Amino acid sequence: MDLAYVCEWERWPKSTHCPSVPLACAWSCRNLIAFTTDLRNDDQDLTRMIHILDTEHPWDVHSVHSEHSEAITCLEWDQSGSRLLSADADGQIKCWSMADHLANSWESSVGSLVEGDPIVALSWLHNGVKLALHVEKSGASSFGEKFSRVKFSPSLTLFGGKPMEGWIAVTVSGLVTVSLLKPSGQVLTSTESLCRLRGRVALADIAFTGGGNIVVATADGSSASPVQFYKVCVSVVSEKCRIDTEILPSLFMRCTTDLNRKDKFPAITHLKFLARDMSEQVLLCASSQTSSIVECWSLRKEGLPVNNVFQQISPVVGDKQPMILKWRILSATNDLDRVSAVALPKLPISLTNTDLKVASDTQFYPGLGLALAFHDGSVHIVHRLSLQSMAVFYSSAAPRSADEPAIKRPRTTGPAVHFKAMQLSWTSLALVGIDNHGKLSMLRISPSMGHALDVSLALRHLLFLLEYCMVTGYDWWDTLLHVQPAMVQSLVERLHEEYTRQNAALQQVLSTRILAMKASLCKLSPCTVARVCDYHAKLFLVAVSSTLKSLLRPHFLNTPDKSPGDRLTEVCAKITDADIDKVMINLKTEEFVLDMNTLQALQQLLQWVGDFVLYLLASLPNQGSPLRPGHSFLRDGTSLGMLRELMVVIRIWGLLKPSCLPVYTATSDTQDSMSLLFRLLTKLWICCRDEGPTSEPDEALVDECCLLPSQLLIPSLDWLPVSDGLVSRLQPKQPVRLQFGRAPALPACAAVQPDGLSRAPGQPKIDHLRRLHLGAYPTEECKACTRCGCVTMLRSPNKTTAVKQWEQRWIKNCLCGGLWRRVPLSYP
């Protein structure tokens, strides 16, 4: 493990952020981190704060005055990573969601209350979606073999089997409360005792079973008391929420039955199921003032022995033997330093071999390790079953070089800096920790865990996790932390190979996601950074093509024939004529008739298509330079065919409303620019289309393209702005010190932008989705993508239906799938 960056609070004269007690932290599948602090002023008044940040821009933290009257005890993200639950020591639960779908703007609209009863455990109800990773099949060709859907029932379903949303919480007095979110927005809440004899619950955790039930584990904090388990069933009866509970087998920690250790660890300090959907395995930690011990237990079905007397009366044969559930200890550690925090893996790895055999294997697979933080400042990654140490990290008061031996770190007087809360990322390749000074630290966790791995095996680990993110839709920022510039080319090629092996339906579903993934990888190497522009341009081209085709309507609505968009593709692929008017003759032009206001509203998108075609053709003579943006389009028959189809559509619409046509600056007033560009584009497309053999463009075509700058003014396309994120600047593996609320002056990233892509200060800016010019100093509020840096206006200036349809595609996410964040008017 090594430190990636540290972010801390600025010291203010009249108020300061101090770690809350207890300190809660949560990490979402979209790589958003939420944590708590207390804001203390001169009068010693405390304001309970919730902070939410994106791991790529940790300084851009959004701080929420939670309005919780007591200390916040729990934070929990939902399965989509877009909503957050918070609970406090007064029994209040709040549900937070993004305002305007912005990652740095949050609001709370619903919640529930168990007045005066502190919440000790909190979880969203399970939605029934569970994926298993088969690491032993990481070399298989099909994604279906590597990642399989596990049969798992939701905690509660609506009519038709749709999972019902809601949350479950456990209170300190032994109550379980369930709140259900109805589609109408109403909240149904019910509270029930876990058992008839209620007792104090100091620690609790919640897990789910495949049958749709919920398992709750509780402990009163004393190691001399048993750890109790309960089954909770939730149902809706007569529009009311009903809760049924049942007692399950309990256990005593092994350390309390050992005569030598009976009184050595008096308190249970941590109680965690190994996974939310794994109620059969639980992790327990008992501690004293100076030391701790950790135990891993497993619930198993065992045959109940039958007395010989009853065997003679009724012999037990095969499956008829009575079974009983029993907790059995899997492993336990020796005496450790006092544990301050525990982080469990979220990667759903499926182990096909026996647990102990895999646990003793020295080969590391991401997700098999859990993290333990100690009061001496160290963090240990241990195997989740055997509890054997796999990696160690030693923190210090200040970031230091990863090459500095840990034994040389100076000893300081007073309590050591240690993590009070930790969370592992969803691929287990990164760890975030909040220490007792309120500082946030981001750690990389190597896939090899310090073992010597050859490059091919390291690439296979990263490729496997990138494929997992591609299939699930999770953000892959934490995987990029481990990609070195030398790996980028191989990863992109192998990712494309694996993608092309999938069936056509799956390829269509993942087509945009793999482009975004390739773009994020190419940012990390100076040799491939120009291809980032190509991938984003292709994402934009695909979006424009599908939107414009969706506006076409058949002349007769009940016709069983193909849609106008499909017919357009078929005609353009079949007719290779370079004359645009001859291609138009074969189309039913009545299907292209649109409202005049709609056509005019689309002019900016149509202008981009025309400018992009002109730019590509003008760059054909320089095709030997891969550092020039647009290079990959010159050999991409699919994209060129898409551009050719759009040129035909634009030509037809131009007959209806000439003002919607792309505007070109030509040297001759009589020149038909669109016909000229379509003819050259068709010749280039014929050279590399999928149906025929590929060939190099002939000299006549190259010569004609060389003459384009003398016939038309070549536009300067506005590519994406230089990203101000961190991941491309963390390649040297030197810790970066940051400050919350203050954008850093970061060193130049390793992947230097090619000529023509960087924007000088004061240069006019553009809305990358609407293709509108915003001026050098925009006056409209804007939002930017947290991943690719794409910028667009927050509010729509156009109310046309077609434009609304276009903008609705990007209301929640960017082209690349990244979240939006509000940016100041003076964005770079």
Side-chain angles (χ1 to χ4, degrees), residues 128-282:
V129 177
K130 183 181 178 182
L131 202 67
L133 275 74
H134 302 281
V135 292
E136 73 282 358
K137 297 181 180 178
S138 60
S141 59
S142 171
F143 287 167
E145 295 180 46
K146 300 176 185 180
F147 319 107
S148 62
R149 181 78 178 265
V150 178
K151 188 178 181 181
F152 209 90
S153 299
S155 304
L156 195 63
T157 56
L158 295 165
F159 179 77
K162 182 182 179 181
M164 194 168 190
E165 295 181 324
W167 57 81
I168 178 172
V170 180
T171 71
V172 76
S173 68
L175 293 177
V176 58
T177 176
V178 175
S179 297
L180 304 177
L181 299 176
K182 296 185 68 177
S184 61
Q186 183 185 359
V187 180
L188 296 179
T189 301
S190 180
T191 304
E192 188 63 59
S193 177
L194 281 171
C195 60
R196 291 182 180 179
L197 298 176
R198 286 170 60 186
R200 177 177 180 269
V201 176
L203 299 168
D205 199 21
I206 301 166
F208 302 91
T209 67
N213 295 321
I214 305 166
V215 177
V216 175
T218 65
D220 63 4
S222 171
S223 61
S225 303
V227 179
Q228 303 278 6
F229 296 86
Y230 305 91
K231 182 171 77 172
V232 179
C233 302
V234 183
S235 57
V236 176
V237 179
S238 301
E239 292 296 314
K240 292 184 179 179
C241 180
R242 176 179 172 181
I243 303 174
D244 297 303
T245 62
E246 177 186 333
I247 299 177
L248 296 176
S250 57
L251 65 88
F252 282 91
M253 288 192 69
R254 175 64 60 87
C255 63
T256 61
T257 61
D258 187 346
L259 295 179
N260 297 326
R261 296 180 172 179
K262 187 174 182 181
D263 301 319
K264 188 172 182 181
F265 304 101
I268 297 179
T269 54
H270 296 87
L271 164 61
K272 297 282 186 183
F273 286 105
L274 286 187
R276 277 278 186 246
D277 47 17
M278 192 183 297
S279 59
E280 302 85 15
Q281 292 176 343
V282 67

Side-chain angles (χ1 to χ4, degrees), residues 1-4 347 362-370 381-382 390-393 402 424-425 427-431 442-455 457-459 461-462 465 478-484 487 733:
M1 287 188 289
D2 70 295
L3 190 61
L347 209 57
T362 57
Q363 179 84 33
F364 171 74
Y365 288 107
L368 288 183
L370 58 91
I381 303 293
V382 300
M390 303 167 73
V392 182
F393 170 78
L424 283 164
S425 70
T427 61
S428 295
L429 291 181
L431 172 75
M442 180 65 67
L443 277 67
R444 294 186 191 88
I445 302 177
S446 170
S448 64
M449 280 297 179
H451 297 292
L453 287 183
D454 58 18
V455 178
L457 192 56
L459 283 174
H461 280 323
L462 294 175
L465 292 174
D478 45 339
T479 309
L480 299 180
L481 287 175
H482 301 271
V483 178
Q484 300 301 316
M487 299 180 179
K733 293 198 173 183

Side-chain angles (χ1 to χ4, degrees), residues 76 79 85 121-126 166-169 206-208 276:
E76 191 72 25
Q79 289 88 348
L85 288 177
L122 179 67
S123 176
W124 289 89
L125 296 180
H126 205 285
W167 57 81
I168 178 172
I206 301 166
F208 302 91
R276 277 278 186 246

Side-chain angles (χ1 to χ4, degrees), residues 326-512:
K326 272 191 176 182
W327 286 100
R328 295 293 184 186
I329 190 167
L330 283 179
S331 55
T333 63
N334 297 321
D335 293 7
L336 306 168
D337 191 59
R338 183 175 170 83
V339 173
S340 61
V342 177
L344 296 172
K346 303 178 181 69
L347 209 57
I349 291 181
S350 174
L351 303 177
T352 55
N353 302 322
T354 61
D355 290 346
L356 292 179
K357 180 178 183 298
V358 175
S360 62
D361 192 359
T362 57
Q363 179 84 33
F364 171 74
Y365 288 107
L368 288 183
L370 58 91
L372 301 175
F374 297 93
H375 275 259
D376 65 355
S378 64
V379 178
H380 290 234
I381 303 293
V382 300
H383 197 284
R384 70 180 186 183
L385 298 178
S386 68
L387 300 180
Q388 295 174 354
S389 180
M390 303 167 73
V392 182
F393 170 78
Y394 294 99
S395 67
S396 60
R400 56 186 171 85
S401 169
D403 300 329
E404 180 184 339
I407 198 170
K408 288 186 178 181
R409 59 195 177 100
R411 295 191 176 274
T412 58
T413 58
V417 177
H418 60 272
F419 291 148
K420 293 183 64 179
M422 291 192 309
Q423 284 285 318
L424 283 164
S425 70
W426 284 66
T427 61
S428 295
L429 291 181
L431 172 75
V432 68
I434 317 293
D435 65 25
N436 52 336
H437 292 172
K439 188 168 55 180
L440 181 144
S441 300
M442 180 65 67
L443 277 67
R444 294 186 191 88
I445 302 177
S446 170
S448 64
M449 280 297 179
H451 297 292
L453 287 183
D454 58 18
V455 178
S456 62
L457 192 56
L459 283 174
R460 195 178 75 182
H461 280 323
L462 294 175
L463 181 66
F464 183 65
L465 292 174
L466 286 172
E467 292 169 348
Y468 169 68
C469 293
M470 193 194 305
V471 170
T472 58
Y474 295 162
D475 188 71
W476 55 90
W477 177 89
D478 45 339
T479 309
L480 299 180
L481 287 175
H482 301 271
V483 178
Q484 300 301 316
M487 299 180 179
V488 170
Q489 186 68 29
S490 298
L491 269 177
V492 170
E493 290 176 357
R494 292 181 62 174
L495 196 64
H496 183 75
E497 288 175 9
E498 295 297 326
Y499 169 77
T500 53
R501 292 178 182 176
Q502 312 312 309
N503 59 61
L506 185 58
Q507 284 190 36
Q508 185 174 0
V509 171
L510 303 178
S511 58
T512 57

